[in-house]
């Protein structure tokens, strides 16, 4: 018989494993960024994920109630753009900085849930949001360049995607939501790279550049990136099955530690005191917000 305590422990261990694998995914994406743009990295990340999801469909077909196709499409498109901005920040800054920006997602999720899902804003929630934005200001300082804009945009778009997922739970199998993300995450980069074949442009850090056929070593990183991301998703899902969302969400911040360690191995500089302070406030804000769920 599985006790509540052992179930919670299993959830924590699964989330730690997921965080470790997601940090590895970031590290492989960072290695690939030296030879290809963030658009192509996004393409490979989702193309491999699409194969993995398709295999699961073969063994266990999807059963949907349906009824919200436009929301499903919206989630796929927004999730893809969020991944594009995230991989851009990975290529432009350290892994620790990139993941801290992505972790602003709970701040925007609380605001969007209040606006679109009519979820109340408690006093603690408002305080947490203000603390989070203070962390963002400290992290960015007075230099609001493309990197900082894309970093914050990652958090905002991730929050949009997460909020839309919450509204889809009653209508679609979770694999349908993931499949929507994977399909658009493959098609949109293909469209961008196709445009880049004739009109190479750079819009807010999104480089519309032609497809670059991966080298032999790149294929290794591509496969590792896809596999670690897929298993990371599996373990994250199991974590939420075994333990409460507030506990799992709090443990998920361990990805920042793993990403920082992998970043140092890859040559990233140690975080400055300003980055540590700003990041700590964002993490504290996120933990407060997840505890409200």
């Amino acid at each position: 018989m599985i006790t509540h305590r052992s179930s919670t422990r299993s959830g924590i261990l699964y989330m730690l494993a997921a965080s470790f694998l997601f940090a590895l995914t970031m590290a492989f994406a960072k290695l690939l960024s030296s030879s290809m743009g963030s658009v192509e990295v996004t393409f490979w990340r989702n193309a491999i994920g699409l194969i993995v999801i398709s295999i699961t469909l073969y063994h266990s077909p999807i059963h949907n109630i349906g009824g919200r196709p436009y929301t499903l499409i919206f989630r796929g498109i927004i999730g893809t753009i969020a991944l594009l901005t995230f991989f851009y920040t990975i290529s432009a800054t350290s892994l620790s900085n990139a993941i801290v920006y992505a972790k602003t997602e709970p701040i925007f999720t609380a605001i969007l849930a209040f606006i679109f899902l009519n979820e109340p804003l408690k006093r603690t929630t408002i305080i947490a949001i203000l603390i989070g934005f203070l962390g963002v200001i400290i992290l960015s300082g007075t230099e609001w360049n493309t990197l900082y804009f894309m970093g914050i945009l990652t958090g905002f778009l991730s929050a949009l995607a997460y909020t839309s997922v919450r509204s889809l739970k009653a209508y679609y199998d979770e694999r349908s939501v993931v499949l929507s993300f994977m399909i658009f995450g493959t098609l949109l980069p293909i469209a961008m790279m196709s445009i880049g074949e004739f009109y190479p442009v750079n819009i807010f850090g999104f480089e519309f550049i032609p497809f670059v056929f991966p080298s032999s070593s790149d294929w290794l990183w591509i496969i590792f990136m896809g596999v670690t991301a897929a298993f990371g998703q599996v373990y994250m899902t199991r974590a939420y099955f075994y333990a409460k969302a507030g506990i799992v969400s709090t443990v998920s911040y361990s990805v920042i530690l793993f990403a920082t360690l992998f970043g140092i191995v890859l040559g990233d500089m140690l975080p400055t005191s300003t980055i540590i302070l700003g990041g700590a406030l964002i993490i504290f804000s996120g933990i407060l917000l997840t505890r409200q769920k």
Side-chain angles (χ1 to χ4, degrees), residues 77-138:
I77 294 174
I78 291 299
T80 298
I81 299 174
L83 191 58
L84 283 165
T85 59
F86 181 52
F87 281 151
Y88 170 84
T89 57
I90 286 177
S91 66
T93 186
S94 65
L95 292 184
S96 58
N97 277 18
I99 192 61
V100 165
Y101 278 121
K103 282 300 183 179
T104 59
E105 173 265 317
I107 303 171
F108 294 110
T109 297
I111 297 173
L112 291 171
F114 169 72
I115 296 173
F116 296 108
L117 301 180
N118 297 318
E119 294 186 5
L121 282 179
K122 301 177 182 178
R123 180 180 300 177
T124 306
T125 303
I126 296 174
I127 293 173
I129 290 172
L130 293 175
I131 292 173
F133 279 121
L134 177 61
V136 170
I137 293 172
I138 292 174

Side-chain angles (χ1 to χ4, degrees), residues 186-264:
T186 302
L187 295 179
L188 285 182
I190 288 176
M192 295 171 72
M193 289 186 290
S194 298
I195 294 173
E197 289 283 350
F198 304 98
Y199 304 102
V201 293
N202 188 315
I203 303 176
F204 295 113
F206 291 144
E207 291 185 311
F208 287 65
I209 56 178
F211 175 81
V212 177
F213 195 81
S215 64
S216 56
S217 61
D218 285 341
W219 281 115
L220 184 63
W221 305 137
I222 287 170
I223 294 171
F224 283 163
M225 178 177 66
V227 171
T228 54
F231 279 98
Q233 192 71 37
V234 169
Y235 287 137
M236 183 181 70
T237 303
R238 289 183 183 177
Y240 279 100
F241 176 79
Y242 279 98
K244 293 181 179 179
I247 295 174
V248 174
S249 298
T250 301
V251 177
S252 73
Y253 281 88
S254 61
V255 70
I256 297 177
L257 173 61
F258 293 131
T260 301
L261 294 175
F262 289 141
I264 292 173

